[in-house]
Amino acid sequence: MKKGLPGPGTVEVVPSILSADFARLADEIAMVASAGVKMIHLDVMDGHFVPNITIGPPVIAKLRKHSDLIFDTHLMISEPARYAEAFAKAGADNITFHIEVTDEPDKIVDQIHALGCTAGITLNPETPVASIEEVAPRCDMVLVMTVHPGFGGQEFIDEAARKVVAVRQIVGPDIRIEVDGGIDPDTTPIVTSYGADTLVAGNAIFGQPDRVAAIRAIRQACK
Ligand code: DX5
Ligand code: ZN
């Protein structure tokens, strides 16, 4: 049974495992779960859409056995339609794909929904909001990239984050707006003031010795 996204009206901190210890992933996820997070962000990179390679369905299937958190799967891959089913079968709950890789985003959203998952659309820092205007209301989440995808620990791009304001006008209050890249206690009040309610953080959590304290620090920085 797939898990839906948390209902609207809350700010969720979503740890990205990209900066976690990949040799101890289940323990790392259990640690952030103990801080009360509802979602975990799984970054999938294909070495083609982005210049890096991470994990695929087999790793997600193994993690699924160790965690009841909502698996928020961010596909930084050139062919999301080809692999969506494999990710759904592996245990993804939400599947987010990039607008830059397709001319038929509606079809992919329908495909993801037919697989029983919630669907997210995302756009790179240089991609205009107009590109997602039509498809966004059909999605459960819009992810506004606040760094160029591919690597953790990059610097937050405020100009990209500002697109959250326009996205919020398009989707209204009930669709989640996620931000991803450079989110930490300093940038959190900025993105929440723009209207983001779903905050992915990799380095700011898994780069800290005390992950629970790091999550608390981001929550306390919310405006
Ligand atoms: C970047 C990934 C992010 C990454 C964020 O391409 O999509 O999810 O883990 O990392 P930080 O929070 O370190 O910028
Ligand atoms: Zn991501």
Side-chain angles (χ1 to χ4, degrees), residues 95-131:
I95 297 179
T96 294
F97 65 97
H98 275 261
I99 191 69
E100 294 86 5
V101 303
T102 178
D103 293 328
E104 298 183 316
D106 287 11
K107 271 194 185 166
I108 302 179
V109 170
D110 288 348
Q111 181 192 6
I112 292 169
H113 283 156
L115 291 164
C117 298
T118 54
I121 187 72
T122 183
L123 70 175
N124 282 342
E126 68 278 9
T127 303
V129 171
S131 66

Side-chain angles (χ1 to χ4, degrees), residues 2 28 37 47 51 67 69 89 91 117 171-172 178 180 208 218:
K2 297 291 181 193
E28 291 275 52
V37 303
S67 175
L69 293 179
K89 282 190 174 152
C117 298
V171 300
E178 186 175 58
D180 184 6
Q208 300 292 319
I218 295 171

Side-chain angles (χ1 to χ4, degrees), residues 141-156:
M141 185 156 80
V142 176
L143 166 55
V144 174
M145 288 304 299
T146 44
V147 297
H148 297 283
F151 301 92
Q154 301 183 79
E155 200 177 328
F156 174 78

Side-chain angles (χ1 to χ4, degrees), residues 42-67:
L42 307 173
D43 285 306
V44 176
M45 305 185 189
D46 65 355
H48 186 252
F49 177 64
V50 288
N52 200 359
I53 299 175
T54 55
I55 60 167
V59 174
I60 293 175
K62 293 289 184 191
L63 291 176
R64 187 73 281 177
K65 295 185 185 7
H66 293 273
S67 175

Side-chain angles (χ1 to χ4, degrees), residues 16 18 41 43 45 74 76 145 149-153 180-182 200-203:
S16 162
L18 192 60
H41 186 83
D43 285 306
M45 305 185 189
H74 177 191
M76 286 162 274
M145 288 304 299
F151 301 92
D180 184 6
V200 175
N203 199 47

Side-chain angles (χ1 to χ4, degrees), residues 22-43:
F22 270 62
R24 297 176 48 254
L25 271 186
D27 293 344
E28 291 275 52
I29 293 174
M31 178 60 76
V32 294
S34 77
V37 303
K38 299 183 186 126
M39 305 165 65
I40 190 92
H41 186 83
L42 307 173
D43 285 306

